[in-house]
């Protein structure tokens, strides 16, 4: 049997094996990791919950914005049916909701899901929503650039911790669809 892969890490925070620390994970995240074949390559780090927002966390813990992967939940309606997607984009970009995401969902208008609904339906805290353990009916769309992250820093479902995942493994999360140009540069419009 081969050696266990090294856990992803950051220079400023100690990495712990995520499956061995369910107290640092929201219940749906812990349940999803328990059954995921690649979970032995996922680390968790504890952070100050006051620094959970991407910009504050990146500065405080010296995490490059290109390694922070945000999970934004978007919804739209078509023929009376709501379509929801969690979009994974690097923090140095933003989801192209009004064009690319709208077309992928095949809706006339897409907008961010109300935070209270996102929190209630995901079982995760505001500022901690992650693609791991989302409701089965939600699509997971990953911008192809997130796969290039050496260490992707994503939520745990809680504000007091973050998951560290090799970016390439984000494509292997159950139900994930990798999409070219799902995101545009922060502050910019699609070219």
């Amino acid at each position: 049997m081969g050696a266990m892969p090294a856990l992803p890490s950051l220079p400023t925070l100690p990495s712990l094996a995520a499956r061995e620390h369910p107290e640092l994970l929201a219940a749906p995240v812990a349940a999803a990791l328990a059954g995921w074949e690649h979970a032995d390559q996922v680390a968790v780090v504890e952070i100050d919950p006051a620094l959970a927002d991407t910009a504050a966390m990146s500065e405080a813990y010296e995490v490059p914005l290109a390694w922070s992967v945000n999970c934004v939940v978007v919804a739209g309606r078509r023929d009376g049916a709501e379509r929801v997607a969690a979009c994974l984009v690097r923090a140095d970009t933003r989801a192209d909701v009004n064009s690319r995401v709208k077309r992928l969902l095949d809706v006339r208008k897409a907008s961010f899901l109300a935070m209270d609904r996102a929190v209630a339906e995901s079982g995760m805290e505001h500022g901690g929503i992650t693609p791991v353990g989302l409701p089965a009916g939600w699509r997971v769309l990953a911008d192809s650039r997130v796969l290039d992250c050496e260490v992707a820093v994503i939520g745990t479902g809680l504000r007091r911790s973050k998951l560290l995942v090799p970016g390439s493994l984000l494509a292997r999360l159950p139900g994930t669809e990798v999409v070219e140009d799902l995101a545009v540069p922060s502050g910019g419009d699609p070219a």
Side-chain angles (χ1 to χ4, degrees), residues 15-160:
S15 291
L16 305 169
R19 274 201 290 213
E20 295 174 16
H21 292 277
E23 75 280 6
L24 295 175
L25 311 172
V29 177
L33 284 177
W36 192 41
E37 65 182 315
H38 301 289
D40 61 337
Q41 298 175 59
V42 178
V44 64
V45 293
E46 194 164 5
I47 64 167
D48 179 341
L51 300 172
D53 294 331
T54 303
M57 188 216 52
S58 292
E59 184 178 337
Y61 299 112
E62 301 172 22
V63 176
L65 282 178
W67 287 12
S68 291
V69 175
N70 292 326
C71 181
V72 294
V73 183
V74 177
R77 289 195 163 290
R78 175 106 184 177
D79 299 327
E82 185 176 53
R83 299 173 183 193
V84 178
C87 301
L88 306 182
V89 297
R90 289 187 343 201
D92 61 349
T93 67
R94 63 177 175 80
D96 185 4
V97 174
N98 294 320
S99 182
R100 191 78 168 112
V101 175
K102 180 177 82 169
R103 283 195 310 269
L104 288 164
L105 291 178
D106 191 24
V107 295
R108 288 177 16 122
K109 180 182 179 208
S111 56
F112 296 105
L113 190 66
M115 186 51 61
D116 58 338
R117 273 196 61 206
V119 166
E121 292 177 23
S122 69
M124 301 177 197
E125 295 176 356
H126 169 63
I129 294 178
T130 185
V132 180
L134 288 173
W138 292 10
R139 287 175 71 183
V140 178
L141 306 174
D143 183 74
S144 59
R145 289 167 278 211
V146 304
L147 307 183
D148 297 332
C149 296
E150 180 181 339
V151 177
V153 180
I154 63 174
T156 62
L158 304 175
R159 289 184 63 85
R160 65 188 190 98

